[in-house]
């Protein structure tokens, strides 16, 4: 049984394995879908994340039968480097953003190794949130161009996308700077 320590108390925790850590290589987004992670909020228009029910619809790879609200679940995987890239669309038409997201994603017949969600981004925009599973093969520029093409067909303007995490190169650069600064 897997345990975590929260505020000095040990608790059993649900553990889901994905990708190379899972015996069958199960994808992270598959587990999230099975758990209801991509459900809409109470108004049905925006992603809300996981509801944390006490009983989970999918048996965890490790852990108890009942989920503790204090500890939740843990997902552990081993995967090549991924990149998180979001592209703002200057429109509040969420259904159009979701159509674009579906056409960009591998699941919808779009770009291989790309996973997407169409989400509200603010009062006056939506966005295509992307996971680039193999950013060295299908990079942000290609995804950006594809979204721009699809959005123009819908009559929508697109802003330049942005990464929500650090690239492998940025991490290496920071690490090299850190070790060079510490050797002075």
């Amino acid at each position: 049984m897997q345990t975590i320590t929260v505020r000095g108390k040990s608790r059993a925790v649900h553990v889901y394995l994905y990708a190379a850590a899972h015996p069958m290589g199960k994808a992270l987004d598959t587990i999230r879908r099975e758990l209801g992670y991509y459900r809409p909020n109470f108004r049905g228009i925006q992603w809300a994340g996981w509801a944390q029910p006490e009983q989970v619809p999918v048996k965890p790879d490790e852990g108890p039968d009942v989920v503790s609200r204090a500890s939740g679940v843990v997902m552990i995987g081993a995967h090549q480097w991924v990149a998180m890239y979001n592209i703002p669309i200057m429109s509040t038409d969420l259904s159009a953003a979701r159509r674009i997201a579906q056409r960009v994603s591998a699941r919808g017949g779009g770009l291989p190794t790309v996973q997407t969600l169409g989400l509200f981004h603010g009062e006056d925009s939506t966005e295509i949130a992307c996971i680039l599973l193999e950013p060295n093969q299908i990079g942000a520029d290609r995804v950006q161009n594809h979204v721009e093409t699809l959005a123009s067909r819908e009559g929508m303007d697109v802003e330049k996308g942005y990464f929500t995490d650090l690239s492998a190169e940025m991490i290496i650069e920071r690490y090299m700077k850190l070790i060079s600064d510490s050797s002075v």
Side-chain angles (χ1 to χ4, degrees):
M1 174 132 3
Q2 300 299 320
T3 60
I4 62 168
T5 302
V6 178
R7 295 188 184 126
K9 296 180 184 178
S10 291
R11 294 189 174 96
V13 65
H14 274 61
V15 176
Y16 292 94
L17 302 175
Y18 69 92
H22 188 275
M24 303 299 285
K26 196 173 204 179
L28 177 59
D29 68 325
T30 299
I31 297 167
R32 286 179 167 177
R33 276 185 182 78
E34 290 172 347
L35 292 173
Y37 191 78
Y38 297 123
R39 67 182 174 77
N41 69 4
F42 69 96
R43 294 187 338 235
I45 57 172
Q46 187 174 354
W47 169 75
W50 190 50
Q52 284 189 319
E54 284 188 16
Q55 294 290 354
V56 291
V58 179
K59 184 180 181 315
D61 296 298
E62 296 286 335
D65 292 335
V66 177
V67 177
S68 162
R69 288 202 176 273
S71 58
V73 302
V74 174
M75 296 185 187
I76 300 171
H79 194 283
Q80 296 177 28
W81 190 269
V82 300
M84 313 301 257
Y85 186 72
N86 295 351
I87 304 169
I89 297 178
M90 302 315 296
S91 170
T92 57
D93 186 346
L94 185 59
S95 62
R98 287 183 174 160
R99 277 193 307 274
I100 293 167
Q102 182 178 16
R103 291 178 189 141
V104 171
S105 77
R107 278 178 58 108
L111 300 171
T113 71
V114 175
Q115 298 174 350
T116 61
L117 284 173
L119 306 170
F120 273 114
H121 183 61
E123 290 183 21
D124 59 351
S125 64
T126 54
E127 78 178 0
I128 309 300
C130 306
I131 301 174
L132 311 179
L133 297 175
E134 295 183 29
N136 292 334
Q137 292 180 18
I138 307 288
D141 290 343
R142 187 163 170 198
V143 174
Q144 180 80 34
N145 291 336
H146 197 49
V147 169
E148 288 174 0
T149 299
L150 295 170
S152 70
R153 292 179 191 160
E154 298 272 351
M156 297 189 295
D157 293 325
V158 174
E159 290 189 349
K160 178 72 175 140
Y162 59 94
F163 288 96
T164 63
D165 57 356
L166 298 176
S167 69
E169 294 80 18
M170 292 167 76
I171 290 173
I172 291 168
E173 184 179 308
R174 287 183 180 191
Y175 173 74
M176 296 306 285
K177 183 175 178 354
L178 178 69
I179 62 172
S180 71
D181 289 349
S182 66
S183 64
V184 174

